[in-house]
Amino acid sequence: MTLILTFLLAVFAACSNTDLPKEKADSAKIANQTTRQAAIITGAQQVDKYLPMLKGKKVALAINNTSVIDGKLSMDTLLKLGVNIVKGFGPEHGFRGKASAGAKIGDETDEKTGVPLISLYGSKYKPTKADMQGIDVMVFDMQDVGVRFYTYLSTLHYIMEACAENNVDLIVLDRPNPNDGYVDGPVREPDQESFVGKHAIPILHGLTFGEYAGMINGEGWLPGKAKSKLTVIKMQNYNHGKPYILPIAPSPNLNTQQSILLYPSLCLFEGTVISQGRGTLYPFTVLGNPELKGKYDFSFKPVSIPGMSESPPHMDKDCYGIDLRTYDTGTFAKTGRINLTWLKQFYADYPNKAQFFRAANFDRLAGTSKLRTQIIEGKSEEEIRQSWEPALGQYKETRKKYLLY
């Protein structure tokens, strides 16, 4: 999509310059060429850089539906190029990204290619020793959205762990982080480690998967401080904070750019009684609850949607709250902050405050129990943010060591 938009803009500009003086037309032409040249080229697209590392090897792919090369799933492309793909490993939502959030997935055989597929979101999160047998090289290629509680981060950790234990090379094909214009949130505390919070990082970590893999190795986060034999295929024309519209939805309920940019602020509501729009066609762009009728004019009704949310919270009930589908998401990068106002606002407005939080879920997502307590106690946003230090500042310094762009 990004490449198509860039091309259309270039064509429009070229057509608009037909009546300009030659000097201006030449300048516009150079600008158009620069725009085309500046299009982000993902690691996966640079086949010439990693194909030689795969030739003659038994290859496994840890991918999902976002793992594309020029619009085609990378496995399909690599098989046509003669790569010997012996196994595939699929994360949450499955190898081809069709499963609903949280749905457990079993091992299967890929219908299109016949390649055996091993689920890392069913009975296990980490490949077993048996799973890793007969593999020389593992290729990891998934689209991240830049937040701690997005489970593909934990999948990357367990892939690295299995590769280190079984002497398997790992190649990470890097992709942009659409939420890397700022780093923010409480750093996960030790007692809140989980699959949605594997490492002690803030809600927004500000790294690409390639950079994050480097941090896992460099900070000794694998058991016994082991290191995975890591190669990162870097992107071209990428830098942190550069706007990037994802061409493919990274998961069923992050189906628009608006939802992806709101997700860091809205996902915390999954630990509350407030619906984030699961069960609508616009999840993570609205907030509401049936008990807020009369306090908000906007409403939506969650329903069962196969492949997105079969049993959403407050199903078939009108939820009253706010519509963020036109909210200026550029505010996040400008301020460098997630939005805490909505969380404080809905807690204040909800009539039965003792039922507002689902404590264990909320604390896992926040990475700390302090945020929930602070909301209940009515702490100001500045007081809350001050409590994130010095851990947040220390993380930002650590992050600098692993930046590739």
Side-chain angles (χ1 to χ4, degrees):
M1 181 182 294
T2 303
L3 293 175
I4 293 172
L5 287 172
T6 302
F7 173 75
L8 291 174
L9 287 170
V11 171
F12 174 81
C15 293
S16 301
N17 288 328
T18 54
D19 295 326
L20 292 175
K22 184 178 185 301
E23 294 81 6
K24 291 186 178 180
D26 288 344
S27 296
K29 183 177 180 181
I30 292 171
N32 293 336
Q33 290 173 343
T34 302
T35 300
R36 288 195 296 272
Q37 292 168 356
I40 295 171
I41 301 173
T42 66
Q45 290 174 286
Q46 301 172 71
V47 179
D48 59 316
K49 289 187 177 180
Y50 59 91
L51 188 60
M53 305 178 195
L54 307 181
K55 288 294 187 180
K57 303 289 182 68
K58 296 176 181 177
V59 179
L61 302 182
I63 65 172
N64 63 4
N65 64 305
T66 64
S67 313
V68 295
I69 302 172
D70 297 330
K72 296 181 180 179
L73 195 70
S74 58
M75 181 166 71
D76 303 335
T77 298
L78 294 176
L79 283 170
K80 287 184 179 180
L81 292 172
V83 175
N84 181 21
I85 300 175
V86 296
K87 293 177 184 176
F89 292 86
E92 183 179 8
H93 307 297
F95 195 79
R96 293 187 181 264
K98 297 179 180 179
S100 299
K104 298 301 179 182
I105 303 163
D107 296 346
E108 57 184 340
T109 299
D110 187 49
E111 292 182 1
K112 185 172 182 179
T113 64
V115 172
L117 303 180
I118 297 168
S119 172
L120 298 181
Y121 200 79
S123 61
K124 62 192 175 191
Y125 294 141
K126 175 185 170 182
T128 65
K129 188 174 183 64
D131 293 335
M132 298 298 290
Q133 287 182 351
I135 298 173
D136 300 316
V137 183
M138 177 80 74
V139 177
F140 182 96
D141 180 25
M142 298 178 199
Q143 178 62 61
D144 188 29
V145 296
V147 294
R148 183 184 61 228
F149 32 68
Y150 208 55
T151 61
Y152 300 162
L153 280 178
S154 293
T155 298
L156 172 62
H157 171 99
Y158 286 119
I159 288 286
M160 293 181 68
E161 191 175 318
C163 286
E165 291 173 351
N166 294 277
N167 197 33
V168 171
D169 293 342
L170 175 63
I171 300 173
V172 173
L173 307 181
D174 219 3
R175 292 183 179 274
N177 173 354
N179 277 307
D180 73 352
Y182 62 120
V183 176
D184 197 31
V187 171
R188 193 226 70 199
E189 296 181 346
D191 64 339
Q192 296 299 331
E193 181 177 348
S194 71
F195 196 62
V196 294
K198 184 64 182 171
H199 301 129
I201 62 173
I203 287 176
L204 281 136
H205 54 72
L207 298 169
T208 67
F209 265 145
E211 293 169 332
Y212 197 79
M215 181 179 280
I216 291 174
N217 262 350
E219 294 302 303
W221 287 344
L222 297 180
K225 298 189 182 298
K227 294 187 186 299
S228 176
K229 294 193 293 183
L230 173 67
T231 299
V232 177
I233 305 300
K234 292 174 56 178
M235 292 174 280
Q236 295 181 21
N237 307 322
Y238 177 77
N239 54 65
H240 288 285
K242 182 175 183 177
Y244 179 73
I245 299 175
L246 271 62
I248 298 173
S251 51
N253 285 285
L254 292 179
N255 58 352
T256 64
Q257 189 73 4
Q258 187 76 353
S259 65
I260 290 164
L261 299 180
L262 285 166
Y263 184 64
S265 296
L266 268 56
C267 190
L268 289 173
F269 282 95
E270 292 204 274
T272 74
V273 295
I274 303 299
S275 167
Q276 318 86 50
R278 290 186 185 272
T280 73
L281 296 178
Y282 38 89
F284 290 102
T285 60
V286 295
L287 294 169
N289 180 281
E291 298 297 319
L292 295 174
K293 185 177 182 179
K295 294 191 176 183
Y296 296 90
D297 293 330
F298 172 73
S299 68
F300 58 91
K301 181 183 290 187
V303 297
S304 178
I305 303 178
M308 287 184 68
S309 187
E310 281 80 5
S311 301
H314 312 304
M315 185 167 67
D316 299 326
K317 296 180 180 179
D318 290 323
C319 293
Y320 296 84
I322 58 176
D323 184 355
L324 299 170
R325 283 175 287 181
T326 60
Y327 179 80
D328 179 10
T329 53
T331 301
F332 299 125
K334 290 175 184 175
T335 62
R337 294 182 168 193
I338 58 173
N339 187 300
L340 292 177
T341 301
W342 297 322
L343 187 60
K344 290 169 62 64
Q345 171 187 334
F346 274 93
Y347 178 76
D349 288 343
Y350 193 71
N352 192 340
K353 292 177 174 43
Q355 296 180 357
F356 183 82
F357 287 106
R358 301 202 311 267
N361 288 346
F362 185 88
D363 294 352
R364 278 195 295 270
L365 291 169
T368 174
S369 62
K370 292 176 183 175
L371 179 58
R372 174 172 51 87
T373 301
Q374 290 164 334
I375 297 295
I376 293 171
E377 293 175 349
K379 298 291 187 183
S380 70
E381 179 167 343
E382 291 309 314
E383 288 176 306
I384 292 171
R385 290 186 169 280
Q386 186 59 40
S387 72
W388 297 349
E389 300 295 349
L392 179 58
Q394 291 169 349
Y395 169 81
K396 290 178 180 179
E397 288 301 310
T398 300
R399 170 182 173 268
K400 293 176 182 178
K401 295 189 295 183
Y402 303 101
L403 296 178
L404 299 175
Y405 309 96

